[in-house]
Amino acid sequence: MTFLSIIIPFDTVERYLKDCLDSISEQNIDDYEIILVLNGEKENVNDLINSYDNLNIIVKSFDERLGVARARNEGLKMAGGEYVYFIDSDDYLYKNALEKLVNTAKATHADFINGERMATPFIRERFEERFTKKSKYPMKKGKLSDMEFSMRQLVGTKTNKKEILSVLHSLIKRDIIADTLFDENDRFYSDYFFMTSIFPRLNTFVGVEEAVYAKRNRDDPINLTSLNQEDHGDAFLSYATAYRDVLEIVNALYDKTHDEKYKLLKDEMAFTFFDYYYKVFGPNFLYSDDENWRGHVFKIMQEISYEFNMNYLSFIQKREIKAFQENNIRKLTRFIKIRVNFKKTIRVFKSRWRFKTFIYFRYYNRKPINKNQFMFASFLGKFYSDSPKYLYEYMYNKYGDELDYVWVINDKNVEIPGNPKKVKRFSLAYYKELARSKYWVINGRQASRLHKRDSQKIISTWHGTPLKKLGLDIGNVHTRDPNIKKSYIKVAKEWDYLISPNHYTTEILRSCFAYDGDILETGYPRNDILYNATPEQVQKIKDDLNLPSDKKIVLYAPTWRDDEYFDAGKMHFTLKLELDKLQKAIGDEYIVLVRTHYFVADKLDLSPYKGFAYDVCKYDDIAELYLISDILITDYSSVFFDYANLRRPILYYTYDLEKYENILRGFYIDIHSEVPGPLLKTTEEVIDAIVNIEDLKKEYADKYDEFYERFCSFEDGNASKRIDDAIRK
C-alpha cells in the first residue's frame, strides 16, 4: 500500500501550481502519490506537469469546473494511500514541512498529524520574510500536549479569521475517512462538514512544530480571486452561521462523550471568535457606515460571546463582554472606544508618518479647498521633470499668477520657473498644500495612505508607454511589498484623468489598474519638447552639462530589475555594460551618458571613466537628454517609445532577456520582432552596432516607420494644451 496520497485540486494560475509542485518536490519523502484534479482548467498545464519527472503525479481531468469540494471528492475516490493529505494548488510548503508530518506519522501512526497554516501574500522565494516579525514566527508547542497543539494548529491563529477548521496540511488516515465526502453544495465551508464528520473517529492527534504551510492570499483580487477572497454576500453572517453549525455539532458530541478533544476544539474556536470580536467587530461597531454591525451582526456576535472562555480574559475584557451580553450599549461603547482609541493614539504617536497623516485627515482636510491651486509631483518628489514639469510650464506661461502652484520637490534648491511654493514630500507643509489643492498632477501613483476629497481632481500623467507588464498584469511580485497589487487598484479608483500617448497604452492602463475612469489620449506633455525645442535650447543643455562639443553622444538608460533588492525595499544595481571596452573602441568619437532608473539612481560610480562616461542619473529631465543624444541604448525601459519621436537610432542591450521575459516581468509586445532596433547580448555586439550605426539605420528604417505610426502618431508638441483644455473645461 502507498503510504501517502496527496490530493491537489487545480482550477487556475499555472505559476501558483508551479510553486506548489516545486515545494513538494523539495520535500524528502517517498512512497507517495500526487492526485492532481484538473478542475475545469483554463490553462494548458501539461508541459508543466510533464516537467516533474521526479514526482509520481496521477492526473484526473474534467472539462467542467467542479468546485473545490467535488474536486477533492474525486481525488479521495482515487486515493490509495494509508494517509491522505490535502494541499490547494495556489498554496505551497515551507522547507521540510510535509517531510516532518510524514516522519511523525511513520513514528506514531497517529490518526491525525498536522502542522501550522500561515496566511501570506509573499511569493514562495520570499516566504521566510514572513517570520521577520515576532508575531509571525511559527508557533511553539511549549507545554501543550500533542492533542492541544494539534487543535491549536487545526483552528489556526495566522490564517483567514473566517477559516475555523481546515483539512489543509493534515495527514489523515484513509480508513478513518472511509466513505466521508465533502459537501459539494457548500461552496465556502465544505471543510467544516467533512471535519466534523470524521472527528468522532479520530482518537490520536499530533501537532508538529515548525512544519509550516503557506496559505497564499492571491495577489490579484480582481482577476485571480481565490475561494477565501471571494465575496460571500454578507460575509459575517455566512461565517457566523457556519461557526454556529459546527459549534452545535461539537457541543452535542461533547455532551454525549465528554471527550477532551471536543472541549479543546471548542476552546480554540471560541478564542478565534473572541479575537474576531476584539479586533474586527469592536472598531466596526463604533465607526462602520454599515448599520449591520449594530444590527444583526451585533445580535449574532452577542450569542456567540457566551462561548468565550472568560478565564482567559483580563478584568477589563470581562467587564466589556458582560456589558455586551447585558445589552448595555452605553457602557459597551465606552469600553470599546477607550481601547480602540487608545490603540490608535499609540500608533499615531509611535510613528511620524502616522502622526502627519492624522493631522492631514483631522485638521488640514477640513479646511477649504483653493479651486485655483495645482500641486505637481514627479517621481516621488525626486525631480523637477517629466510630464508634470511640462504641463506646469505650459500652464504658467498661459495663466501666470492667475493660478497658485505647488511643487513637491525634496531638494528645494532646484530651480523652477515662476517661483511656485515648494514642499518636501511627506512634510507637514506637503500635507497642508495637498489638502488645499484642487488639482493633483502626478506621474505615477499617489501614496495609498492619502485620499482626495470629492471636489479634488487627480490627473495621473503616468510615466511611459508600457513595454514590461504593469500592475495586475505582473505575475509573481518580486518587490518588497507583496500586497502592492491591491494598492494599484485602490489608488487608481481615485484618479479622475489618466493620460495616454496612444491607443495601445490606453488599453493596457485600463487593464493593469482595473481603471474605469476618463483616459485622455493627448500624448505625453513630456514629449512636447521633442517637437518644440530650438537649436539654442539643445546647445544650452550640452553647455550646462559641460559636455565636449566635438563628440557624439550615446545615452545609456537601462531600467531596474524587480529582483534587485536586498533588504526591506533597498535596491542594489550593477552596471552590466562594460564601459572600459566601450571607451577603448569608440572613445575617440563618442561619450556616454549613463541614466539609470530613479529607484537605483544613487548606486553608480563612474569615476574610472572620467571624460568618457557621465553620470546623469540625477539630471532632472531625461527628455533634455534625448534631445542631445545621437544614439539611445536601453533594454526594457519605456524610454525608447519616447525617444522614437526623434527618429534616431535605438539599440537594445538585453543581456538577461530570457530571465526578464519569462520570470521577472514579461512584455506586452513581441520585443523580438516589433522594436525598431537590434537586440544585443554582449558589450562587443553593442560596440559593433555603434561602429556600423549607418547600416543599422537603413536596416531598420521600415520597422521604425511602423513603430512610429503605432506609438508616436498622437505626439505633435501640443499634449499640454489638450490636457489643459480637458481638465479646465
Side-chain angles (χ1 to χ4, degrees):
M1 176 187 255
T2 302
F3 186 76
L4 178 63
S5 296
I6 301 170
I7 297 175
I8 311 175
F10 174 75
D11 187 344
T12 55
V13 193
E14 180 178 340
R15 61 188 168 94
Y16 294 164
L17 178 61
K18 183 180 186 303
D19 274 357
C20 179
L21 294 176
D22 281 350
S23 72
I24 295 174
S25 71
E26 293 172 10
Q27 306 292 314
N28 185 21
I29 58 174
D30 53 20
D31 195 15
Y32 69 92
E33 61 183 8
I34 297 174
I35 302 170
L36 180 60
V37 182
L38 302 183
N39 169 18
E41 82 281 6
K42 298 174 183 174
E43 302 171 71
N44 186 347
V45 292
N46 290 327
D47 289 344
L48 174 66
I49 295 168
N50 293 335
S51 69
Y52 292 95
D53 52 8
N54 62 322
L55 295 179
N56 179 24
I57 303 178
I58 303 166
V59 177
K60 180 73 172 179
S61 183
F62 294 87
D63 292 333
E64 71 273 25
R65 193 172 189 182
L66 307 179
V68 173
R70 187 182 163 196
R72 286 176 177 167
N73 287 340
E74 295 294 337
L76 276 174
K77 293 173 186 176
M78 300 171 63
E82 180 181 344
Y83 283 89
V84 172
Y85 177 84
F86 297 96
I87 179 172
D88 285 345
S89 63
D90 48 3
D91 299 338
Y92 53 85
L93 299 166
Y94 189 51
K95 54 189 177 185
N96 308 126
L98 182 55
E99 179 183 335
K100 290 177 181 179
L101 300 191
V102 169
N103 290 341
T104 301
K106 290 180 176 179
T108 65
H109 302 286
D111 297 339
F112 187 88
I113 303 101
N114 65 340
E116 182 177 8
R117 305 181 315 281
M118 188 178 289
T120 180
F122 281 88
I123 60 173
R124 181 169 170 260
E125 293 90 334
R126 301 182 60 205
F127 176 62
E128 194 168 358
E129 294 180 37
R130 181 73 171 174
F131 308 149
T132 57
K133 294 183 179 179
K134 187 175 181 180
S135 62
K136 303 302 181 185
Y137 286 150
M139 67 176 70
K140 297 292 185 181
K141 180 177 179 182
K143 296 181 180 180
L144 298 174
S145 68
D146 283 340
M147 183 182 290
E148 287 170 333
F149 192 54
S150 179
M151 293 298 174
R152 182 156 296 179
Q153 295 190 132
L154 172 61
V155 173
T157 60
K158 301 188 186 78
T159 54
N160 188 333
K161 290 299 182 187
K162 299 181 179 63
E163 180 190 276
I164 305 168
L165 298 178
S166 175
V167 298
L168 298 174
H169 200 38
S170 303
L171 297 190
I172 310 170
K173 278 192 173 177
R174 181 67 181 89
D175 59 358
I176 285 177
I177 294 174
D179 296 328
T180 305
L181 296 174
F182 292 86
D183 182 356
E184 296 176 11
N185 294 316
D186 191 339
R187 178 166 173 75
F188 297 106
Y189 300 108
S190 61
D191 285 31
Y192 294 2
F193 171 80
F194 183 87
M195 288 301 301
T196 52
S197 296
I198 68 170
F199 212 74
R201 304 194 289 270
L202 297 171
N203 295 308
T204 49
F205 298 78
V206 180
V208 180
E209 271 193 353
E210 297 187 352
V212 179
Y213 175 107
K215 181 65 185 166
R216 188 198 297 258
N217 294 326
R218 292 193 178 191
D219 51 18
D220 182 348
I222 297 293
N223 302 308
L224 301 176
T225 309
S226 64
L227 188 62
N228 65 10
Q229 290 173 305
E230 285 186 18
D231 184 0
H232 295 201
D234 190 330
F236 177 80
L237 181 60
S238 175
Y239 169 40
T241 301
Y243 170 82
R244 287 190 300 183
D245 291 345
V246 171
L247 187 63
E248 186 176 325
I249 295 169
V250 173
N251 275 333
L253 290 168
Y254 180 69
D255 291 342
K256 182 178 179 180
T257 65
H258 294 286
D259 192 326
E260 181 190 13
K261 66 186 179 185
Y262 299 116
K263 184 178 184 306
L264 290 173
L265 182 59
K266 281 176 54 179
D267 286 347
E268 290 299 332
M269 290 167 60
F271 174 80
T272 296
F273 245 93
F274 174 77
D275 195 51
Y276 185 90
Y277 163 84
Y278 213 67
K279 295 177 181 177
V280 180
F281 172 80
N284 279 290
F285 169 75
L286 285 184
Y287 301 118
S288 176
D289 293 331
D290 184 351
E291 285 300 321
N292 286 327
W293 288 98
R294 291 166 289 279
H296 76 257
V297 175
F298 182 94
K299 293 176 182 177
I300 295 170
M301 184 59 82
Q302 197 175 49
E303 292 175 25
I304 292 172
S305 72
Y306 289 97
E307 298 297 329
F308 297 162
N309 191 330
M310 304 294 275
N311 294 328
Y312 294 117
L313 305 186
S314 69
F315 174 73
I316 297 297
Q317 288 172 337
K318 289 176 183 176
R319 291 187 65 190
E320 181 179 325
I321 297 302
K322 186 177 180 181
F324 185 34
Q325 293 170 346
E326 292 175 349
N327 221 37
N328 190 332
I329 303 301
R330 183 180 60 82
K331 188 180 289 188
L332 175 67
T333 301
R334 187 170 73 247
F335 278 122
I336 297 177
K337 264 188 179 177
I338 289 171
R339 65 177 176 84
V340 170
N341 291 338
F342 177 75
K343 185 176 181 180
K344 281 184 177 179
T345 301
I346 294 298
R347 290 181 68 201
V348 163
F349 285 98
K350 279 182 71 173
S351 69
R352 289 183 178 180
W353 75 262
R354 282 198 175 96
F355 177 74
K356 292 174 182 176
T357 305
F358 176 82
I359 299 296
Y360 167 72
F361 281 114
R362 296 300 181 92
Y363 182 67
Y364 292 146
N365 244 5
R366 295 176 180 179
K367 298 291 185 180
I369 292 171
N370 180 349
K371 65 180 182 180
N372 289 319
Q373 182 159 304
F374 282 73
M375 190 173 198
F376 297 85
S378 176
F379 297 116
L380 312 179
K382 292 185 177 183
F383 304 109
Y384 171 62
S385 67
D386 207 63
S387 290
K389 167 186 174 179
Y390 288 98
L391 183 57
Y392 162 72
E393 291 187 356
Y394 171 84
M395 297 187 74
Y396 180 72
N397 290 333
K398 180 177 180 179
Y399 298 108
D401 294 333
E402 292 179 33
L403 301 177
D404 297 315
Y405 312 98
V406 180
W407 258 95
V408 180
I409 193 78
N410 296 336
D411 180 2
K412 292 187 178 182
N413 293 318
V414 170
E415 292 185 11
I416 300 176
N419 196 31
K421 187 177 294 184
K422 299 176 185 176
V423 294
K424 189 173 182 179
R425 189 170 185 252
F426 293 149
S427 65
L428 271 177
Y430 165 83
Y431 285 105
K432 179 180 179 181
E433 298 304 331
L434 194 68
R436 294 181 70 236
S437 298
K438 169 74 173 181
Y439 301 94
W440 306 355
V441 180
I442 56 178
N443 69 339
R445 293 174 288 114
Q446 72 276 21
S448 59
R449 74 185 73 158
L450 305 174
H451 304 286
K452 65 166 187 152
R453 288 184 271 180
D454 290 342
S455 58
Q456 292 179 304
K457 303 292 183 183
I458 299 180
I459 300 97
S460 175
T461 67
W462 201 238
H463 51 266
T465 296
L467 167 67
K468 51 187 180 285
K469 295 292 181 70
L470 293 173
L472 301 181
D473 296 338
I474 299 173
N476 285 334
V477 177
H478 291 261
T479 50
R480 174 62 183 170
D481 182 1
N483 281 312
I484 196 167
K485 288 188 180 181
K486 295 177 184 176
S487 75
Y488 293 151
I489 301 166
K490 180 180 177 183
V491 300
K493 284 185 181 299
E494 296 205 332
W495 295 342
D496 295 279
Y497 301 102
L498 183 56
I499 307 305
S500 172
N502 46 61
H503 294 311
Y504 159 89
T505 300
T506 296
E507 295 307 310
I508 289 173
L509 294 182
R510 281 208 184 282
S511 169
C512 72
F513 295 124
Y515 178 71
D516 59 1
D518 289 336
I519 291 187
L520 304 180
E521 292 182 324
T522 59
Y524 282 142
R526 71 184 187 185
N527 290 333
D528 287 351
I529 191 176
L530 303 182
Y531 292 87
N532 299 329
T534 64
E536 291 76 20
Q537 284 177 286
V538 174
Q539 186 58 49
K540 184 177 186 305
I541 297 166
K542 291 181 179 180
D543 293 343
D544 289 345
L545 287 168
N546 294 316
L547 300 179
S549 59
D550 59 339
K551 298 285 181 73
K552 296 177 183 177
I553 297 174
V554 174
L555 173 62
Y556 178 44
T559 191
W560 71 294
R561 273 72 174 157
D562 292 44
D563 59 348
E564 289 179 336
Y565 62 86
F566 60 91
D567 182 39
K570 299 177 183 177
M571 312 299 297
H572 67 70
F573 175 77
T574 303
L575 196 67
K576 297 298 192 299
L577 188 63
E578 297 169 277
L579 293 177
D580 53 342
K581 293 181 180 179
L582 215 62
Q583 186 172 14
K584 289 178 183 177
I586 64 169
D588 291 340
E589 187 177 357
Y590 289 91
I591 60 172
V592 175
L593 309 182
V594 181
R595 168 71 174 232
T596 61
H597 192 282
Y598 69 97
F599 278 4
V600 291
D602 298 326
K603 315 299 178 187
L604 200 61
D605 178 14
L606 298 182
S607 56
Y609 314 104
K610 188 174 182 180
F612 173 69
Y614 295 77
D615 180 356
V616 291
C617 295
K618 294 184 180 179
Y619 191 82
D620 277 359
D621 194 346
I622 193 170
E624 294 184 351
L625 301 180
Y626 298 154
L627 284 170
I628 64 173
S629 300
D630 299 283
I631 300 171
L632 171 68
I633 303 175
T634 187
D635 43 23
Y636 323 115
S637 170
S638 66
V639 296
F640 68 85
F641 290 101
D642 296 328
Y643 192 80
N645 284 282
L646 295 170
R647 294 183 175 269
R648 297 173 189 171
I650 304 172
L651 308 178
Y652 298 84
Y653 182 43
T654 53
Y655 57 88
D656 58 350
L657 177 58
E658 183 176 348
K659 178 182 179 183
Y660 204 97
E661 187 173 25
N662 298 322
I663 299 175
L664 291 182
R665 279 286 188 103
F667 304 120
Y668 288 112
I669 67 173
D670 184 354
I671 193 172
H672 300 275
S673 63
E674 295 186 64
V675 296
L679 304 181
L680 310 170
K681 294 294 183 68
T682 67
T683 299
E684 286 76 13
E685 290 180 356
V686 172
I687 291 170
D688 184 67
I690 294 173
V691 170
N692 297 289
I693 198 66
E694 293 302 321
D695 292 337
L696 278 176
K697 285 166 68 174
K698 294 176 184 177
E699 180 182 346
Y700 283 90
D702 290 342
K703 186 173 287 188
Y704 212 128
D705 289 341
E706 293 172 9
F707 187 88
Y708 183 93
E709 182 62 28
R710 183 181 180 191
F711 298 107
C712 306
S713 58
F714 286 7
E715 308 281 13
D716 60 3
N718 293 301
S720 296
K721 179 182 185 305
R722 287 189 284 267
I723 293 170
D724 177 47
D725 290 344
I727 67 176
R728 288 176 53 79
K729 60 185 177 182

